[in-house]
């Protein structure tokens, strides 16, 4: 048995609040070559646990949408700029983000069950005037 060290997927934002019409950066961290998907929702939902997945989903699936997907470069880090529309109706809203990574080097023919995915920490950004 060999130990396959993995970095747990994580997410960070450059801001906790952003005015309408402005932009901010979201940074995805994980394993080099890992395939990460970034999701956004306008609210959290019930915590969900999935077989073969480390972590818990915190976003409401009815308002969930995929913001981007990316294979992480050799640094294991990718930054995405998020643009907030200049719509006044968004003032006071909170944007919830969460990422999911498929580990790059899990053997698909393993005899024992292995977790092949990890859900990162949630990040929230509030929209201000």
């Amino acid at each position: 048995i060999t130990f396959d060290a993995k970095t747990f997927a994580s997410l960070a934002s450059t801001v906790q609040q952003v005015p309408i019409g402005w932009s901010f950066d979201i940074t995805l961290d994980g394993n080099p070559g890992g395939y990460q998907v970034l999701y956004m929702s306008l609210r959290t939902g019930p915590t969900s646990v999935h077989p073969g997945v480390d972590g818990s989903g915190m976003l409401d699936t009815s308002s969930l949408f995929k913001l981007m997907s990316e294979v992480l470069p050799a640094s294991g880090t990718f930054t995405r700029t998020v643009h907030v529309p200049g719509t006044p109706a968004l003032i006071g809203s909170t944007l919830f983000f969460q990422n999911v990574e498929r580990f790059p080097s899990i053997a698909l023919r393993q005899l024992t069950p292995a977790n092949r995915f990890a859900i990162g920490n949630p990040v929230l950004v509030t929209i201000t005037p």
Side-chain angles (χ1 to χ4, degrees):
I1 298 176
T2 60
F3 178 70
D4 184 15
K6 295 182 194 74
T7 302
F8 202 80
S10 67
L11 193 59
S13 173
T14 55
V15 299
Q16 291 181 336
Q17 297 181 346
V18 63
I20 58 170
W22 287 49
S23 300
F24 62 97
D25 289 338
I26 292 276
T27 300
L28 297 87
D29 284 313
N31 298 282
Y35 177 73
Q36 283 206 14
V37 180
L38 177 63
Y39 292 97
M40 188 183 93
S41 179
L42 292 174
R43 58 185 175 259
T44 59
T47 300
S48 56
V49 177
H50 305 282
V53 178
D54 288 328
S56 299
M58 301 298 292
L59 305 183
D60 177 57
T61 55
S62 66
S63 67
L64 177 76
F65 69 93
K66 182 171 85 172
L67 192 60
M68 60 149 288
S69 58
E70 187 72 30
V71 174
L72 295 181
S75 65
T77 301
F78 182 82
T79 300
R80 166 75 184 235
T81 300
V82 177
H83 303 283
V84 177
T87 307
L90 290 175
I91 294 173
S93 297
T94 300
L95 305 176
F96 296 92
F97 299 91
Q98 198 163 28
N99 58 330
V100 177
E101 178 177 346
R102 184 186 193 302
F103 296 130
S105 61
I106 299 292
L108 295 177
R109 294 184 292 163
Q110 281 182 303
L111 297 177
T112 58
N115 291 348
R116 294 186 172 97
F117 298 88
I119 298 175
N121 57 294
V123 168
L124 58 93
V125 177
T126 303
I127 301 173
T128 61

